[in-house]
């Protein structure tokens, strides 16, 4: 298939589709949080691993939605590469509800944490592909270049923390999850600290 020549209208359509898929992913995650049938707060308290896994995953999906929205502000047209990179990102994010449910149900066991960390790292690879496409085919002004440089810095640091988290999971599941939480905090931080770290 040849690349399309759709402009901002096509970009908006892809972004709207992505918003819908991400909304479904969040809905699936919350539906996995089944209320206990037994009476008593102790049965509700017993669900804390499921709730913590949900909160962490919700933060991740929210971060990807925010960054996806900001990234598409710099897209100028639709190409096959952009479409497939975006589909790849959505596919990797669609695995998050399963990994989240597995992590919570298994009470942060070693194997469940390892699966969770690996699943969490997959969207980062897909996002790098998507960003490289938009950086090449999208806006080329100074603001766009500044955004890409800043985002790529954070992406490199986040990937390194993810990789460390996967390795640390073999030592302690909580150490691996701490790295996952650190990545979320990293993306919530303003521009300054990471850019200062890399001299940007």
């Amino acid at each position: 298939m040849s690349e399309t020549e759709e402009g901002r209208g096509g970009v908006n359509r892809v972004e709207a589709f992505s918003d819908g898929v991400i909304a479904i992913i969040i809905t699936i995650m919350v539906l996995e949080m089944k209320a206990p049938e037994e009476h008593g707060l102790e049965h509700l308290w017993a669900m804390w691993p499921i709730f913590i896994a949900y909160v962490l995953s919700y933060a991740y999906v929210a971060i990807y939605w925010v960054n996806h929205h900001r990234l598409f502000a710099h897209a100028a047209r639709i190409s096959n590469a952009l479409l497939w990179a975006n589909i790849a990102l959505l596919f990797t994010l669609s695995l998050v509800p399963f990994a989240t449910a597995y992590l919570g149900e298994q009470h942060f066991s070693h194997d469940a944490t390892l699966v969770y960390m690996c699943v969490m790292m997959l969207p980062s690879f897909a996002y790098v592909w998507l960003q490289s496409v938009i950086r090449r085919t999208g806006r080329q002004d100074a603001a766009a270049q500044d955004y890409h440089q800043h985002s790529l810095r954070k992406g490199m640091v986040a990937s390194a923390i993810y990789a460390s988290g996967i390795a640390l999971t073999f030592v302690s599941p909580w150490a691996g999850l701490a790295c996952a939480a650190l990545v979320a905090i990293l993306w919530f931080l303003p521009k300054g600290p990471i850019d200062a770290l890399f001299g940007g």
Side-chain angles (χ1 to χ4, degrees):
M1 294 177 62
S2 60
E3 292 190 351
T4 65
E5 295 299 330
E6 298 177 70
R8 282 300 308 177
V11 171
N12 292 339
R13 183 181 177 190
V14 172
E15 187 175 6
F17 170 76
S18 303
D19 289 347
V21 173
I22 292 173
I24 292 172
I25 289 170
I26 291 176
T27 302
I28 293 172
M29 283 198 306
V30 75
L31 289 176
E32 291 291 336
M33 297 177 62
K34 302 288 193 302
E37 296 181 1
E38 300 86 353
H39 295 290
L41 291 178
E42 66 274 11
H43 298 290
L44 188 62
W45 173 250
M47 294 181 59
W48 68 266
I50 297 174
F51 181 73
I52 291 178
Y54 168 76
V55 170
L56 184 59
S57 295
Y58 185 95
Y60 268 110
V61 175
I63 288 168
Y64 272 105
W65 179 82
V66 169
N67 283 289
H68 186 275
H69 175 69
R70 290 174 176 167
L71 178 61
F72 266 67
H74 301 289
R77 64 184 179 85
I78 295 299
S79 66
N80 278 341
L82 185 148
L83 290 173
W84 288 112
N86 192 67
I87 288 294
L89 175 61
L90 295 178
F91 169 74
T92 58
L93 288 175
S94 74
L95 299 175
V96 173
F98 167 78
T100 303
Y102 186 51
L103 181 67
E105 293 291 345
Q106 296 297 317
H107 287 221
F108 305 103
S109 70
H110 170 270
D111 291 342
T113 303
L114 188 59
V115 169
Y116 184 80
M117 291 298 296
C118 290
V119 168
M120 289 295 102
M121 194 166 187
L122 290 177
S124 66
F125 294 139
Y127 190 86
V128 167
W129 179 21
L130 178 61
Q131 183 171 6
S132 67
V133 172
I134 292 180
R135 188 177 191 181
R136 185 177 67 252
T137 63
R139 289 169 43 195
Q140 300 297 316
D141 54 78
Q145 293 306 312
D146 179 69
Y147 167 81
H148 289 303
Q149 290 175 8
H150 164 60
S151 182
L152 284 172
R153 287 190 190 109
K154 275 194 172 183
M156 289 171 57
V157 174
S159 295
I161 296 173
Y162 271 132
S164 299
I166 291 174
L168 286 173
T169 298
F170 289 97
V171 179
S172 167
W174 289 108
L177 289 173
C179 289
L182 182 60
V183 172
I185 293 171
L186 171 69
W187 282 105
F188 279 120
L189 288 176
K191 179 178 178 179
I194 296 300
D195 280 356
L197 180 64
F198 284 87

